[in-house]
Amino acid sequence: MSTADRDRQEPSAHLNGHAPGRAAVVQYELGGAWVVVAHGDYDMNSMGPVADALQTAARKHSRVVLDASGVTFADSTFLNLLLHIHPMTSLRVAGPTPQFKRVLEITGADTVLDVRDSVADATSD
């Protein structure tokens, strides 16, 4: 999207040059782990589906993998969700995008959460 196209959007459609992407969640079992695939942007207005999926998975499965490779934006609400789910199950965050990985590093959450390079790595062992 060019800057001119972005500037024609409603002011609420982008914040600090960030155009919101529709959040989506897919779930499946792999290698004895329950995988929750998060795709899109996550903030306090779009957290519902991924929060429900992770909370339900944490109650039912001993190992939950969050495939974060499709997360294009995540604010502190998303990070707080992961930190809340972490003690409930063996939560692994797989393949975070460079931006999300940086958020994990800056906040120190990467020292608390089990961050893996890929879903394959997160579902092994």
Side-chain angles (χ1 to χ4, degrees):
M1 171 184 309
S2 73
T3 303
D5 291 337
R6 187 178 63 223
D7 290 341
R8 281 189 220 119
Q9 293 179 353
E10 293 293 318
S12 62
H14 58 86
L15 177 64
N16 296 329
H18 176 75
R22 176 159 284 161
V25 177
V26 174
Q27 304 177 61
Y28 60 93
E29 192 275 336
L30 179 66
W34 191 253
V35 180
V36 176
V37 182
H39 180 78
D41 293 0
Y42 292 95
D43 61 21
M44 63 187 244
N45 296 315
S46 60
M47 291 298 299
V50 75
D52 291 344
L54 286 171
Q55 289 168 351
T56 300
R59 284 192 297 272
K60 294 181 177 181
H61 304 278
S62 61
R63 187 169 30 149
V64 176
V65 174
L66 172 68
D67 180 348
S69 63
V71 174
T72 52
F73 175 80
D75 71 1
S76 61
T77 310
F78 188 73
L79 186 58
N80 284 331
L81 170 66
L82 299 183
L83 294 170
H84 174 76
I85 296 296
H86 169 70
M88 299 169 60
T89 187
S90 174
L91 176 66
R92 298 174 180 185
V93 179
T97 59
Q99 297 125 317
F100 186 46
K101 190 171 186 175
R102 183 72 179 134
V103 168
L104 294 170
E105 292 167 352
I106 289 171
T107 61
D110 65 329
T111 64
V112 176
L113 299 172
D114 186 353
V115 181
R116 306 285 181 105
D117 289 333
S118 67
V119 171
D121 181 34
T123 57
S124 66
D125 66 87

